[in-house]
Amino acid sequence: MSDTVRDAPTGSPSSNGLEDPGARSGATRGRASAIVGRTRDAFAATPIWAALVGIVGIGWVVVTLDGGTFFASGNLTNILQRSVALGIVAVGQTVAILAGSLDLSVSYLISLASLVGAETMDGRESMLVPAILLTLAVGAAVGLANGLVVTKLRVNPFIATLGMALILRGYIENNYDRPTGSVPESWESFGYTRMGPIPVSIFLFAGVALIVGTTLRRTRFGYHVYAVGGDEQVSVLSGLRTHRVVIAAHVICSVCAALTGLFLASRLGSGTPRVGTDGGYDLESIAAVVLGGTALAGGRGRVAGTVGAVLVLAVLDNVFNQLELDPFLKQAVRGVVIIAAVAVYAQRRKGRQQVATGTAAA
Amino acid sequence: MTDATLTPPTGPTPAGDVVEAPPRPSLAARAWRSVARSAPIFAVLAVLLVWIAVENPNFTEPPGFLAFLKRAAPLAVLAAGQYFVIVTGEFDLSVGSLVTVTVVVAAQVLADNPDSTLPVIALVLLIGVAVGIVNGLITTRLQVPSFITTLGMLLILDGAVFYWTDGAPKGSLTEDFRTLGRGGVDDVPGLEQLPWSVVVFLAVGVGAVLLMRANLGKQFMAVGDNDRAAGLSGVPVARVRTIAFVLSGGLAAVAGILLGGFAGVSAQVGDGLEFQAITAVVLGGVVLGGGRGSVVAAIAGALTLEALFTLLNLLGVSGALEDTVEGVIIIAAVAFAAFRLRSDR
Amino acid sequence: MRKRRWIAGIAAAALLAGACSDDSDDTEASGDDGEEAADIQGGLDSEFFSQEEMDAQLAMRDMEPEGPADKPWEQAIQPTYVDTAQYAQPGGGWKVCFSNAATDNPWRQVGFTTMQAEAALHPEIAEFTVLDAEASDDKQISDIESLTGQGCDALIVSPNTTATLTPAVEEACATGIPVIVFDRGVNTDCPVTFIKPIGGYAFGADAAEFLVDEVGEGGKVLALRILPGVDVLETRFAGAQQIFEENGIELVGAEFTEGDAANTKSIVSDYIAREGELDGIWMDAGATAVAAIEAFEDEGLDVPPISGEDQQDFLQKWNDDELTAVAPTYPTYQWRTPVIAAVKILNGEQVPEAWNLPQPKITEETLPDYLNPEMGPLFYALCGCQEMPGFPENWQ
């Protein structure tokens, strides 16, 4: 499928060969322009950023007409702060979807991670790092289980992760019935500290997005993820250990979910059994991923797109908040936005395919 | 693979004897094997039903068993609808919210027009069909994956209906309207009462089987198995898929009528039903991705799910553990089906 | 072949493990005397339980509240007043802000509508800003942070969860604006006032005492609960459990309905089949009470004594079918009080530090006063809104 090759990390869709545009022209200047080039490609390949600018614009107009101030620093903080939790888990979900899979168990894993993390921390600074490591390990274990069920038992990821969600839910309900544990000062302040209007936690989100995004586009493993998601049979025939790739993708997804749980624990001061489900992170993260331009079938898309989509959703939320609109209306609008965006992406793809294969629209 | 025992070898065997054919398995064993091979769900369902009967002897009597069917009917109808969508290779996540819409809209309209039961039923069925058409069109014409289309539709329906009612359903369902879900035909010989929902359930079941035997059913299968090949052999793929969504939407409205009748107006009547319906279909051995599975098995999957809940209730298994058990069973069932799929090919 | 058997084995094992879990099998424990036959989660065993709080609440039921008898939302039981002169802003033109946990259930919907109507009654409130946290702790924390930056003169908070919203409320208090908390509390004394009706223990006890009177010792009662782990519901169940234990009522089960009517009906039918008959039904909330009643009707049985809540559909059914019932309430009129408190505070008037509102229960005698067939099935009669402008249209 031509799309797999096109979206593989070898340059922008319009470049001719495998050359990195800036690699030849002298060390520092070359690298700087390479970075600029890559960033530009990232934005060009993810139209969601253009939509983000558009929505910010519309939002500003609407809010100002309503008598509010859109660009108040409190607002900026609100938008960024609200992006962190969904953002981290959506980045993980991107990897799972790119590999041709999907993870519906993330909300319960987030709740569990917050509980395990806060309980282990128990308010003590000394337990902070062990708690984080333990929680991430739990996340990795769940991801491993998901990956194994999907690959070895050949269970459709929808069902596999739905089953895992139920298992996690049963475990949580059986063992926890109230906010549990407590986070030490330093971790709690992580959720609240701001540099001006910018919350410190946004750097966690940015960091995760950068690491995962770079892994996907700059490493062989990342290339394999695209290949397996794009066409599993071809990948198998090309000698890829597809099972390992899918399992690793699930592990990354679940570790991101666990990280989100830890972050939420810092915001809430403790872990709670409902924090994951209250946020609706399972369907929200999938929505963010497809809104960002990643194909649900796998093999196409970028973390940059997901990041843009998360910001779009946060801005929409914020605008609705400012206008004090009914949250039910917001939900309906969200549904329309998601369908419309994916329809637009699909039409663009169809258009590009027809251009590529020389068939004009009928 | 020929059955070597059917024809005895000509000529003397190495041992010099004539090989005798092994004794044929008994009728019961053959019947059991054919059932188990076609869809293990029937065997599982049978086991669960027997277990329930052991725990609760009332179950063996018609009123007890009919009460169970009455309760299971809405999910069974939903599973039939979902089956059509899944067998064509798609998902329909909007059925839960469609059930909620059905109940809330019916309650609202009946509040002001209590005597218009039939028009209201027609109205909600129309809504279900319309939603199905929209789902179908968006998926086929706009090329949006059905997971996303129906997910978006779920958000839209839920948001719209609660926005319309300001967060709380108004009005109530009249006795007339609730007859289908709650009432029945009295004085049926042998049974005390034949619940209407059981009648509807049987009608839907029979209709679905007939549909799958007809041309349209074969087209569903073809589209699910390989839509490109189906398209090339003249099957109107987009139309067939849309019809599947229409059936799913319409049957969701029917399920809403049954549920609303059974339990009355509630703000969360449809919560999670889409996942239950998909689970039921998958338990019945229908493969996600399409092209395989029988509608009877899907309905059996719904009955199995209900039987499982009933059994766990009877055994006093605590609510939390119920979830874990359900999760493991779902994974095991699909793994099993996937394994059989691979070993058959 | 081996794999297939292995998978089937796991499934069977899981099913058996679930069935034979450490939760007691009904048939085993039914011979015990005085102890519950079924496994009961939470309630008295829950970490939420506080005997001290329960005793305090049960005592409050018999105390005479201060304030106008015809306006229970302005009354307070045994109040200790605090000064609010430092917050006074004479002249009106106030901006009052409200961080709402959610509007995702009819109780909150009715309450919120009533609150908005109350705010409209006070011309001194120039702006009433509301942020809806959609039942997410994380969002509510962000909402409160956002509101504190918007120059509110007073902040009303209905917290989504007690423990986790405490830091955000403390931060809001630290900015110097008066904070009013209602419905659910927080673990800090910094708010100017904390408004609530008497509480969950009293709710559960009211219902339980009624059932004890009607059912008598040794009677079999089924408890229907919505969800585990919700503090306001755990306290209700705990209150009931203690009353039942003290009076020899046999609690045959405490099932979770998840607030779903179909589920409720199925559970009650199952119990009727299992127990043969039930002498009473205790519910921790009334949203699915009608479904529970119908379960008996469908079996052709008389409806036993039942406790519900002040939803219109339950009251109507109670009236029409002449049932033996009681409706304890967690009055939605408590949504009026925070606005009244804000007005008082900004006027410099004293308010009770712990503002405990009376919590009436609807009985056979008072039922006609609260019945209102004009209203929707999930309308809560104790809204204190019947005399307000815009009634009934705005609440329909």
Side-chain angles (χ1 to χ4, degrees):
Chain A
M1 298 201 149
S2 54
D3 284 324
T4 324
V5 173
R6 190 190 297 137
D7 272 322
T10 53
S12 78
S14 52
S15 72
N16 293 331
L18 301 176
E19 289 182 7
D20 194 313
R24 296 268 171 87
S25 45
T28 352
R29 198 164 48 103
R31 196 171 296 157
S33 60
I35 292 176
V36 167
R38 284 207 293 274
T39 319
R40 203 182 46 223
D41 295 339
F43 286 121
T46 49
I48 191 67
W49 286 90
L52 175 63
V53 172
I55 288 184
V56 165
I58 297 176
W60 173 72
V61 167
V62 174
V63 169
T64 316
L65 285 177
D66 190 60
T69 342
F70 186 72
F71 287 112
S73 90
N75 250 10
L76 186 59
T77 310
N78 190 274
I79 292 172
L80 292 175
Q81 187 71 272
R82 299 285 301 143
S83 315
V84 177
L86 180 61
I88 298 176
V89 66
V91 166
Q93 185 78 253
T94 312
V95 181
I97 291 183
L98 278 175
S101 189
L102 167 96
D103 193 341
L104 288 175
S105 64
V106 289
S107 356
Y108 290 104
L109 183 51
I110 289 174
S111 299
L112 183 63
S114 79
L115 289 164
V116 167
E119 221 179 12
T120 317
M121 286 183 201
D122 204 27
R124 293 178 293 173
E125 285 293 338
S126 51
M127 291 302 290
L128 181 62
V129 173
I132 292 179
L133 291 175
L134 175 63
T135 309
L136 294 181
V138 167
V142 170
L144 183 64
N146 278 335
L148 286 172
V149 171
V150 168
T151 54
K152 304 298 178 194
L153 294 185
R154 300 298 185 104
V155 177
N156 183 294
F158 183 94
I159 295 293
T161 54
L162 185 64
M164 177 60 75
L166 285 170
I167 293 173
L168 290 176
R169 175 171 150 183
Y171 179 77
I172 292 173
E173 279 184 6
N174 210 30
N175 294 304
Y176 300 97
D177 66 351
R178 60 179 307 197
T180 310
S182 67
V183 299
E185 271 300 310
S186 62
W187 190 240
E188 190 170 314
S189 61
F190 174 66
Y192 287 87
T193 319
R194 300 202 284 267
M195 292 172 10
I198 313 235
V200 161
S201 48
I202 200 74
F203 293 114
L204 177 63
F205 173 31
V208 170
L210 259 164
I211 294 174
V212 175
T214 319
T215 309
L216 280 175
R217 304 203 67 85
R218 295 272 129 209
T219 66
R220 209 170 53 170
F221 166 70
Y223 186 71
H224 290 170
V225 168
Y226 281 101
V228 169
D231 195 323
E232 197 186 345
Q233 283 177 338
V234 166
S235 308
V236 168
L237 291 174
S238 338
L240 282 185
R241 315 280 285 265
T242 58
H243 285 191
R244 287 203 191 163
V245 173
V246 172
I247 293 175
H250 269 284
V251 168
I252 294 176
C253 180
S254 294
V255 166
C256 285
L259 200 51
T260 304
L262 283 170
F263 165 69
L264 286 170
S266 96
R267 289 281 285 170
L268 305 183
S270 62
T272 76
R274 287 188 218 289
V275 64
T277 40
D278 282 347
Y281 292 108
D282 44 6
L283 295 176
E284 285 283 310
S285 60
I286 294 176
V289 169
V290 296
L291 195 59
T294 302
L296 195 62
R300 268 194 302 273
R302 318 173 65 125
V303 165
T306 306
V307 170
V310 169
L311 287 172
V312 164
L313 290 174
V315 170
L316 268 178
D317 252 10
N318 183 273
V319 169
F320 270 81
N321 245 10
Q322 298 252 61
L323 300 175
E324 289 175 53
L325 287 178
D326 197 313
F328 296 121
L329 188 62
K330 180 171 77 170
Q331 202 177 356
V333 168
R334 270 244 193 92
V336 172
V337 166
I338 291 168
I339 293 181
V342 177
V344 165
Y345 290 135
Q347 297 307 307
R348 284 178 84 226
R349 240 183 334 259
K350 195 160 75 168
R352 259 191 281 155
Q353 266 176 354
Q354 283 169 342
V355 167
T357 60
T359 56
Chain B
M1 264 192 307
T2 54
D3 193 340
T5 58
L6 282 179
T7 46
T10 52
T13 63
D17 303 330
V18 172
V19 174
E20 285 179 9
R24 295 200 74 192
S26 68
L27 184 64
R30 269 186 293 141
W32 177 256
R33 224 189 305 165
S34 79
V35 164
R37 199 172 289 157
S38 69
I41 191 67
F42 296 113
V44 173
L45 180 60
V47 166
L48 285 177
L49 291 177
V50 167
W51 197 339
I52 294 176
V54 163
E55 294 287 331
N56 174 18
N58 282 336
F59 198 66
T60 50
E61 287 165 37
F65 188 65
L66 283 176
F68 167 74
L69 279 184
K70 189 172 168 184
R71 206 187 295 182
L75 184 61
V77 167
L78 269 178
Q82 188 74 224
Y83 165 81
F84 293 123
V85 169
I86 290 185
V87 96
T88 55
E90 308 287 352
F91 281 99
D92 191 348
L93 294 177
S94 63
V95 292
S97 48
L98 199 43
V99 166
T100 308
V101 166
T102 300
V103 173
V104 173
V105 167
Q108 185 90 349
V109 175
L110 282 171
D112 298 322
N113 314 285
D115 295 317
S116 39
T117 307
L118 283 180
V120 168
I121 290 181
L123 172 65
V124 295
L125 285 176
L126 198 64
I127 293 177
V129 164
V131 168
I133 292 178
V134 172
N135 278 337
L137 287 177
I138 296 180
T139 307
T140 53
R141 304 253 171 247
L142 297 182
Q143 312 285 328
V144 178
S146 59
F147 189 94
I148 298 297
T149 311
T150 55
L151 173 60
M153 185 58 74
L154 182 164
L155 294 173
I156 293 171
L157 287 175
D158 257 353
V161 83
F162 284 115
Y163 182 59
W164 182 47
T165 59
D166 287 324
K170 312 277 175 357
S172 55
L173 302 172
T174 57
E175 282 303 314
D176 265 349
F177 184 87
R178 293 188 64 182
T179 329
L180 271 181
R182 211 182 155 198
V185 184
D186 289 312
D187 300 323
V188 175
L191 324 156
E192 270 169 38
Q193 187 204 56
L194 180 64
W196 279 118
S197 51
V198 175
V199 174
V200 170
F201 158 64
L202 289 172
V204 167
V206 168
V209 169
L210 291 176
L211 182 67
M212 289 313 290
R213 292 252 174 101
N215 205 27
L216 182 58
K218 301 206 169 50
Q219 288 183 327
F220 282 151
M221 281 296 191
V223 165
D225 195 33
N226 187 334
D227 55 359
R228 211 169 262 177
L232 290 172
S233 34
V235 175
V237 174
R239 187 160 16 128
V240 166
R241 281 221 162 101
T242 308
I243 294 178
F245 280 109
V246 165
L247 285 170
S248 176
L251 286 172
V254 171
I257 295 172
L258 292 180
L259 262 176
F262 182 66
V265 183
S266 145
Q268 54 214 96
V269 56
D271 276 6
L273 284 182
E274 59 280 339
F275 286 111
Q276 277 192 24
I278 293 178
T279 303
V281 171
V282 157
L283 275 180
V286 180
V287 175
L288 289 177
R292 296 182 67 113
S294 81
V295 67
V296 181
I299 293 178
L303 293 177
T304 306
L305 213 51
E306 274 301 332
L308 183 65
F309 293 149
T310 309
L311 183 63
L312 291 177
N313 254 347
L314 278 176
L315 294 175
V317 173
S318 78
L321 232 39
E322 209 172 291
D323 283 325
T324 308
V325 167
E326 200 186 321
V328 173
I329 289 181
I330 291 169
I331 293 179
V334 177
F336 190 61
F339 184 73
R340 286 179 63 233
L341 191 67
R342 265 178 305 142
S343 60
D344 279 348
R345 278 199 172 145
Chain C
M1 208 32 162
R2 234 179 301 153
K3 205 180 215 177
R4 180 204 296 205
R5 290 226 193 92
W6 178 61
I7 293 168
I10 291 180
L15 186 53
L16 282 172
C20 309
S21 68
D22 50 342
D23 302 320
S24 58
D25 216 289
D26 274 17
T27 51
E28 254 183 63
S30 55
D32 291 347
D33 50 352
E35 281 181 22
E36 293 93 289
D39 173 58
I40 313 274
Q41 240 187 315
L44 291 174
D45 301 321
S46 149
E47 287 169 46
F48 290 118
F49 182 67
S50 152
Q51 186 68 48
E52 198 186 322
E53 175 65 27
M54 173 159 169
D55 294 335
Q57 283 191 17
L58 296 189
M60 268 197 258
R61 294 185 300 173
D62 301 317
M63 297 179 195
E64 196 61 40
E66 285 182 27
D70 58 338
K71 295 187 193 168
W73 51 90
E74 287 186 24
Q75 292 183 312
I77 301 176
Q78 291 218 326
T80 359
Y81 290 93
V82 285
D83 282 320
T84 61
Q86 73 262 45
Y87 302 117
Q89 287 192 36
W94 302 323
K95 174 169 170 156
V96 175
C97 302
F98 173 39
S99 165
N100 194 358
T103 44
D104 61 354
N105 68 50
W107 184 88
R108 299 195 72 89
Q109 282 287 340
V110 171
F112 184 51
T113 309
T114 310
M115 181 188 247
Q116 288 175 302
E118 177 71 44
L121 287 180
H122 300 269
E124 316 91 285
I125 300 179
E127 228 182 298
F128 187 60
T129 307
V130 180
L131 289 184
D132 187 319
E134 296 165 58
S136 161
D137 287 344
D138 186 39
K139 180 164 198 290
Q140 189 163 27
I141 294 174
S142 292
D143 284 349
I144 294 178
E145 285 180 335
S146 177
L147 287 172
T148 48
Q150 285 188 27
C152 308
D153 296 311
L155 176 65
I156 303 172
V157 178
S158 164
N160 194 44
T161 310
T162 300
T164 52
L165 263 299
T166 304
V169 170
E170 283 175 334
E171 258 194 38
C173 291
T175 64
I177 61 175
V179 176
I180 300 152
V181 173
F182 81 100
D183 172 27
R184 202 178 258 115
V186 281
N187 294 331
T188 164
D189 289 329
C190 81
V192 176
T193 173
F194 168 40
I195 299 164
K196 67 167 175 58
I198 297 176
Y201 295 112
F203 184 107
D206 275 349
E209 283 167 359
F210 166 79
L211 284 171
V212 164
D213 284 339
E214 296 292 334
V215 170
E217 193 168 333
K220 295 199 277 194
V221 170
L222 170 65
L224 293 172
R225 308 176 53 192
I226 299 186
L227 286 173
V230 180
D231 48 0
V232 294
L233 299 177
E234 289 286 347
T235 48
R236 295 179 190 184
F237 183 55
Q241 254 188 319
Q242 197 161 77
I243 304 287
F244 286 144
E245 270 178 16
E246 287 168 3
N247 289 281
I249 295 283
E250 188 189 334
L251 204 56
V252 294
E255 297 291 339
F256 295 107
T257 63
E258 291 175 23
D260 180 51
N263 220 11
T264 305
K265 215 183 203 188
S266 305
I267 290 174
V268 175
S269 302
D270 284 344
Y271 265 86
I272 294 174
R274 204 174 357 160
E275 301 289 328
E277 63 168 8
L278 291 170
D279 301 314
I281 301 271
W282 178 93
M283 300 193 73
D284 70 354
T288 57
V290 175
I293 292 170
E294 286 183 1
F296 288 97
E297 288 179 353
D298 285 359
E299 303 276 340
L301 297 170
D302 285 331
V303 184
I306 180 170
S307 75
E309 208 177 341
D310 56 328
Q311 282 98 339
Q312 170 57 26
D313 64 350
F314 175 65
L315 299 179
Q316 193 71 54
K317 191 98 180 139
W318 178 2
N319 185 58
D320 294 345
D321 292 2
E322 293 172 3
L323 302 175
T324 315
V326 74
T329 67
Y330 189 60
T332 43
Y333 60 57
Q334 65 180 288
W335 288 71
R336 296 186 67 166
T337 319
V339 177
I340 295 172
V343 170
K344 281 190 191 280
I345 291 172
L346 290 171
N347 272 330
E349 294 168 31
Q350 288 190 325
V351 290
E353 192 171 2
W355 195 328
N356 289 306
L357 299 166
Q359 187 172 296
K361 58 177 191 270
I362 303 179
T363 61
E364 196 78 51
E365 291 78 42
T366 52
L367 177 58
D369 301 334
Y370 293 107
L371 199 56
N372 191 341
E374 271 187 351
M375 307 305 293
L378 296 170
F379 172 74
Y380 285 76
L382 269 296
C383 64
C385 55
Q386 285 88 349
E387 307 290 317
M388 296 181 91
F391 186 83
E393 300 81 38
N394 290 348
W395 281 261
Q396 279 173 330

